């Protein structure tokens, strides 16, 4: 792996130089929204007509709902077909919606393709694992008046945003994954992108009493994938597991930290809005469930989820000998902004 690892490190140094040029994220709802519209417009203006044709779709196009998190052919404009300046602007758009934490994870997930390619001993000209195969798509016309949305997607990353009258009204589905979950070899040995998601999950699990575990653990075997997959609308019959009121104050604190960890991938205002929505629906309606191994490690598949009437968070580490993590956040009432859009169209004359 030495020769290929050297090539990998050279690519990482180059791409980190490009990403390091990005402007810092902003706070404040109005400023953040204005900056997001402007960032999208500037990105589109940097593209050639041919690139615009690849990147831009009607807001009503069904492609907006065609999301996934596996290596596959995608629509949109990939990083590999952008020049350095266009990449800067594409990544700046991503920074307008993610926090420093979330942006760092997204960038690390892209970079992990280089490491995975080396671990799989793929030849240099093989593009199956490719950090440049992350696609940017704009849906509709980015303005402060019109409904519009955008997506960045590739292997183990799918982030979807929708906006109405300058306000981000949906930031889900949001998928982040990592293969390997913990890098087993090479210069990046030990690297673990989604480390806190695992550690806090186990901390919460281990805090429960034997009696509580009878309710928390819903299956001895972990599912082989997040249960909701890439469905357009996440559907689970009903929440299962241990309810928030059944936890001790100390356990509730850990649970809240785990929930906030996922929300904190977004810019502060977006994270706050989703948290307020969860709290309005009632923390007493929140559930925590676990399946699979109660201990981490190779060959010990495990899964957990946070579930309420308005939000679903899934974490699964079962594939590749339990060294392959998938996580997702779903807004059960407003993925892709569909709930907010229905209200909007009832009040305005926009064409769907």
């Amino acid at each position: 792996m030495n020769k290929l690892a050297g090539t990998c490190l050279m690519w990482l140094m180059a791409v980190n130089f490009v990403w390091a040029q990005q402007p810092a994220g902003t706070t404040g709802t109005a400023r953040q929204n204005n900056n997001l519209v402007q960032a999208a417009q500037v990105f589109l203006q940097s593209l050639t007509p041919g690139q615009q044709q690849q990147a831009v779709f009607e807001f009503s196009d069904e492609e907006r709902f065609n999301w996934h998190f596996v290596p596959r052919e995608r629509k949109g404009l990939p990083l590999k077909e952008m020049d350095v300046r266009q990449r800067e602007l594409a990544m700046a758009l991503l920074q307008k919606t993610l926090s420093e934490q979330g942006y760092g994870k997204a960038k690390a997930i892209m970079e992990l393709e280089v490491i995975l390619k080396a671990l799989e001993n793929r030849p240099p000209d093989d593009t199956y694992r490719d950090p440049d195969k992350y696609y940017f798509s704009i849906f509709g016309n980015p303005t402060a008046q019109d409904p519009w949305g955008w997506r960045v997607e590739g292997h183990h990353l799918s982030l979807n945003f929708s906006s109405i009258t300058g306000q981000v009204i949906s930031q889900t589905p949001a998928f982040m994954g990592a293969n390997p979950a913990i890098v087993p070899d090479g210069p990046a040995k030990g690297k673990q992108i989604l480390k806190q998601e695992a550690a806090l999950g186990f901390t919460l699990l281990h805090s429960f009493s034997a009696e509580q575990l009878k309710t928390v653990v819903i299956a001895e075997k972990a599912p082989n994938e997040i249960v909701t997959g890439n469905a357009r609308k996440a559907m689970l019959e009903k929440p299962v597991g241990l309810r928030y009121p059944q936890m001790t104050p100390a356990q509730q604190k850990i649970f809240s930290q785990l929930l906030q960890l996922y929300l904190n991938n977004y810019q502060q205002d977006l994270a706050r809005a989703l948290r307020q929505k969860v709290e309005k629906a009632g923390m007493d309606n929140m559930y925590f469930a676990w399946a699979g191994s109660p201990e981490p490690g190779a060959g010990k598949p495990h899964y957990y989820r946070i579930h309420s009437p308005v939000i679903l968070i899934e974490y699964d580490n079962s594939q590749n000998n339990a060294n392959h993590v998938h996580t997702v956040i779903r807004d059960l009432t407003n993925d892709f902004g569909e709930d907010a859009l229905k209200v909007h169209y009832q009040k305005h004359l926009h064409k769907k």
Side-chain angles (χ1 to χ4, degrees), residues 69-82:
F69 43 85
V70 299
R72 67 170 187 171
E73 292 301 316
R74 288 176 161 85
K75 293 185 179 179
L77 184 66
L79 287 169
K80 69 187 308 172
E81 295 183 20
M82 302 181 198

Side-chain angles (χ1 to χ4, degrees), residues 4 6 21 34 37 60 72 78 84 117-118 144-145 159 186 188 211 226 246 248 263 281 312 329 339:
L4 186 53
Q21 311 308 309
N34 289 336
V37 170
S60 59
R72 67 170 187 171
V84 173
K117 179 177 180 176
Q145 294 79 38
L159 303 174
E211 190 64 27
I226 55 172
Q246 297 172 304
T248 67
L263 302 186
L312 173 67
I329 307 174
D339 184 63

Side-chain angles (χ1 to χ4, degrees), residues 99-127:
S99 65
E100 182 177 352
Q101 168 189 291
Y103 181 76
K105 289 178 183 177
K107 187 177 71 170
I109 288 168
M110 295 178 179
E111 293 172 351
L112 197 58
E113 291 297 281
V114 178
I115 296 172
L116 184 57
K117 179 177 180 176
L119 290 173
E120 293 178 341
N121 294 313
R122 294 181 178 274
D125 59 349
D126 186 296
T127 61

Side-chain angles (χ1 to χ4, degrees), residues 215-227:
T215 305
V216 171
V217 179
I218 58 174
E220 293 184 2
K221 183 178 179 181
N224 195 48
E225 180 59 277
I226 55 172
V227 176

Side-chain angles (χ1 to χ4, degrees), residues 67-69 175 218-219 221-240 289-292 302-307 312-319 325-330 332:
W67 75 286
H68 217 312
F69 43 85
F175 181 98
I218 58 174
K221 183 178 179 181
N224 195 48
E225 180 59 277
I226 55 172
V227 176
T228 52
N230 68 318
R232 172 170 171 171
K233 189 171 182 65
M235 298 288 288
L236 286 177
E237 289 185 6
K238 62 179 181 178
V240 295
W290 188 278
H302 51 278
Y303 165 94
Y304 68 75
R305 69 173 175 251
I306 294 171
H307 196 181
L312 173 67
I313 296 173
E314 292 189 83
Y315 169 103
D316 182 79
N317 186 357
S318 57
Q319 300 177 33
V325 171
H326 287 176
T327 72
V328 71
I329 307 174
R330 305 297 300 263
L332 298 179

